[in-house]
Amino acid sequence: MVSIKSLLSACLLVASTCASIINVERSPAPLDSRTQQAKQITTYPKPTTLANNTVFAVQVKIPGGRWTPLDVYLVNLSLINTTTGSSATQKSSMAYFDFSGTIEVSVTYNTSIVNNATIRPYSLNIPVKISHKTVSFTLTQPENLIVQVNDNIFDVLHLLSAPLETDVPSANSTDVIYFGPGVHDVPGNILQVPSGKTVYLAGGAVLTATVNFSRVHDARLTGRGVIQSKSGGAIIAEYSKNITIDGAITALNPNGYAALTGEVDGLVISGLRAFSNKGNGDGIDIFCSQNALVDGVFMRNSDDTIALYQHRWDYYGNSSNLTVQNSRLWADVAHPINIGTHGNTDNPETMDGVTIRNIDVMDHREPQMDYQGTLAINVGDSNMIQNVHVEDFRVENFREGQLINMRVMFNTKYNTSPGRGIRNVTIKNLSYNGTNANPSILDGYDSERTISFVTFKNLVINGKQIADSMRKPTWYETSDFVPMFANDNVQNLTFLAS
């Protein structure tokens, strides 16, 4: 009789032989989740000397991985007191990292239980889960966003993410000015960038100086680091050609503009993030420049987040081919986008060819009627603004201001003459969902300095399309449904369904 032991041994031998004959391929061992996470997520430790904010605790991971904490920076924002005119600093939070693929995010609000939470801008349509003090959600691609809890305006988390870096300059290259992780000071607090050079700020680097491109060409600022300038703005580019600011640089509470550019031909500002809380704390201001592209920026500022101007100070000349696209804007003071204002009465200038597309305006607060408008085109100083195309402009429920403000104006605080006019403006796919907007204004100066040929296509206010073809009383103006006031010096104002 064959024993059970002998039978089992024979079966094992047969199985082994068969596997050898047919060359069975066994699946490789699964990649260690920590190794995979390191390939998909890059975090950057904050220098210990910088202020942090412990209101939020932030963690990220790949599905099935282990949580990795992010350092959280203190961000200062501005709230204007309308009685005194003073600015009260409001504390907020910011964290940044890089990733690819799909990741999970956990945000814990240490101050109190989370009653409600949302991701801004709303157009992202990112669902959240709330558990006690923690908000969790999933990202499938890098985004610059705000985690807003309990309807807070300032006590929020600005969570900024970028794709993984793939082309890091060499620290040993003679063409690279390299700043690794840590805090870096520069004598005089100004870093002068020569022609042909690249300034690289590694993730975790903090530069305390202004980066200055002046009378140079083919120069670049890139990386993942932070500029926290001790004096002056974060970035200046002037009288130059082919200047690139890209990567995912963050300007953190500079003492001036995040980026000031004047008389630049060939300008790219891509991926810049900026926060400000001081007076004249503009985001990006472009004067008298040609062939400029602002792409994928995130601005939260204490003055205009993006401004396109003509002559001011020592900048002169016409502007042309200016594009602002794929960006997210939050104006705690003044305009999200402001075009015009400054110019040259003695030698009038023209801004010709402005394209604004795929923009999310998350907030706008400006009590002064002269400076309202999520999109403002205000020309003074004998300026002419023409051939403006705006498309896919999404406006959320802002605190105070106007949706649109177009004026040929003479503001004696800034101008020495009225503007010459505004003409050929097309605004397509503008949507506003909210209840706080004051009536929009289109105001030509006189019969010679007019606003002419303004066309709205698919203007949607709180879900209702505003068009000349809509059903309405015959004695109503289409603009009444925005609501919008257009004076007698506005010619050829049209609202089309598509």
Side-chain angles (χ1 to χ4, degrees):
M1 180 180 290
V2 179
S3 68
I4 293 177
K5 182 176 181 180
S6 299
L7 184 60
L8 289 174
S9 296
C11 289
L12 287 172
L13 177 61
V14 171
S16 177
T17 303
C18 290
S20 177
I21 291 172
I22 63 176
N23 191 26
V24 172
E25 294 186 4
R26 296 174 175 84
S27 299
L31 187 65
D32 181 84
S33 62
R34 286 174 293 181
T35 303
Q36 184 62 35
Q37 182 149 307
K39 290 183 176 182
Q40 285 187 230
I41 298 175
T42 302
T43 62
Y44 303 105
K46 178 178 65 66
T48 56
T49 55
L50 262 69
N52 65 317
N53 198 341
T54 59
V55 169
F56 290 95
V58 189
Q59 302 179 96
V60 295
K61 69 172 184 176
I62 63 171
R66 296 184 179 181
W67 289 111
T68 298
L70 302 182
D71 286 346
V72 180
Y73 289 69
L74 173 67
V75 171
N76 290 321
L77 303 172
S78 177
L79 176 63
I80 298 297
N81 184 313
T82 57
T83 300
T84 66
S86 62
S87 173
T89 297
Q90 307 293 307
K91 296 185 184 302
S92 194
S93 303
M94 181 273 287
Y96 74 94
F97 67 109
D98 300 343
F99 77 93
S100 66
T102 297
I103 65 160
E104 298 174 2
V105 182
S106 171
V107 177
T108 299
Y109 185 52
N110 293 318
T111 301
S112 70
I113 292 174
V114 176
N115 297 312
N116 59 75
T118 189
I119 303 297
R120 310 279 300 274
Y122 297 130
S123 63
L124 291 174
N125 292 316
I126 296 176
V128 301
K129 295 180 180 179
I130 300 173
S131 177
H132 194 55
K133 291 185 175 183
T134 299
V135 180
S136 59
F137 54 94
T138 298
L139 293 177
T140 57
Q141 65 182 27
E143 302 284 2
N144 293 324
L145 56 82
I146 294 175
V147 181
Q148 185 176 28
V149 298
N150 298 341
D151 299 318
N152 292 334
I153 297 296
F154 298 102
D155 195 10
V156 300
L157 172 68
H158 303 86
L159 186 62
L160 314 177
S161 56
L164 299 173
E165 284 190 286
T166 58
D167 187 20
V168 179
S170 170
N172 298 320
S173 172
T174 56
D175 292 328
V176 176
I177 303 171
Y178 190 99
F179 295 95
V183 179
H184 303 274
D185 299 328
V186 172
N189 298 323
I190 297 179
L191 176 66
Q192 301 285 359
V193 184
S195 294
K197 299 292 185 181
T198 293
V199 178
Y200 178 75
L201 299 183
V206 177
L207 180 63
T208 64
T210 300
V211 179
N212 189 31
F213 302 89
S214 184
R215 303 185 190 279
V216 298
H217 62 85
D218 301 290
R220 181 186 182 199
L221 167 65
T222 190
R224 295 292 190 268
V226 171
I227 301 175
Q228 192 173 40
S229 47
K230 291 181 178 179
S231 59
I235 303 164
I236 297 174
E238 57 184 8
Y239 317 115
S240 295
K241 189 171 184 179
N242 299 333
I243 303 300
T244 299
I245 299 157
D246 64 0
I249 299 294
T250 301
L252 184 58
N253 294 121
N255 290 287
Y257 300 169
L260 168 63
T261 71
E263 290 193 52
V264 177
D265 186 357
L267 171 71
V268 174
I269 301 177
S270 176
L272 181 67
R273 305 93 168 250
F275 303 90
S276 57
N277 69 307
K278 301 176 179 66
N280 300 315
D282 293 36
I284 299 169
D285 282 21
I286 299 176
F287 296 83
C288 304
S289 294
Q290 299 81 42
N291 306 310
L293 172 64
V294 177
D295 185 21
V297 302
F298 181 96
M299 300 281 119
R300 182 161 187 181
N301 302 110
S302 53
D303 211 323
D304 299 329
T305 61
I306 294 178
L308 308 178
Y309 292 142
Q310 289 304 119
H311 161 66
R312 197 181 190 190
W313 304 312
D314 292 325
Y315 304 128
Y316 294 88
N318 296 328
S319 295
S320 61
N321 191 24
L322 309 179
T323 299
V324 179
Q325 64 183 22
N326 307 324
S327 296
R328 293 163 186 171
L329 311 176
W330 183 306
D332 286 313
V333 182
H335 312 88
I337 292 183
N338 187 22
I339 303 172
T341 307
H342 307 292
N344 188 348
T345 296
D346 296 332
N347 188 13
E349 297 165 335
T350 298
M351 183 180 295
D352 187 357
V354 176
T355 300
I356 299 168
R357 59 189 170 216
N358 194 25
I359 303 296
D360 287 287
V361 174
M362 294 176 284
D363 202 2
H364 162 46
R365 181 184 185 253
E366 178 50 66
Q368 301 176 88
M369 293 293 290
D370 266 347
Y371 307 103
Q372 292 185 353
T374 64
L375 174 64
I377 305 177
N378 300 155
V379 295
D381 287 340
S382 300
N383 271 339
M384 170 65 74
I385 307 293
Q386 61 188 19
N387 301 321
V388 178
H389 183 88
V390 180
E391 187 165 355
D392 299 330
F393 196 85
R394 298 172 293 274
V395 182
E396 299 176 6
N397 191 22
F398 51 81
R399 282 172 284 168
E400 185 175 5
Q402 298 170 33
L403 185 61
I404 300 290
N405 186 294
M406 291 189 205
R407 288 178 295 146
V408 182
M409 67 177 190
F410 185 5
N411 184 337
T412 56
K413 293 180 181 178
Y414 297 106
N415 303 139
T416 56
S417 66
R420 283 183 291 144
I422 301 168
R423 64 190 181 198
N424 300 336
V425 178
T426 298
I427 300 177
K428 181 180 180 181
N429 300 337
L430 187 157
S431 63
Y432 168 61
N433 288 286
T435 57
N436 296 327
N438 293 325
S440 294
I441 294 176
L442 272 66
D443 187 19
Y445 191 79
D446 58 26
S447 60
E448 294 183 353
R449 287 165 284 202
T450 66
I451 299 173
S452 59
F453 297 98
V454 176
T455 301
F456 289 88
K457 297 181 179 181
N458 190 33
L459 171 63
V460 178
I461 306 296
N462 291 318
K464 182 176 183 178
Q465 187 181 67
I466 310 301
D468 292 331
S469 59
M470 68 191 295
R471 184 178 179 184
K472 59 180 176 58
T474 56
W475 57 93
Y476 278 38
E477 299 289 344
T478 306
S479 57
D480 293 336
F481 293 88
V482 178
M484 172 188 291
F485 170 75
N487 75 354
D488 291 340
N489 298 311
V490 176
Q491 303 168 356
N492 301 104
L493 173 61
T494 305
F495 296 85
L496 302 178
S498 61

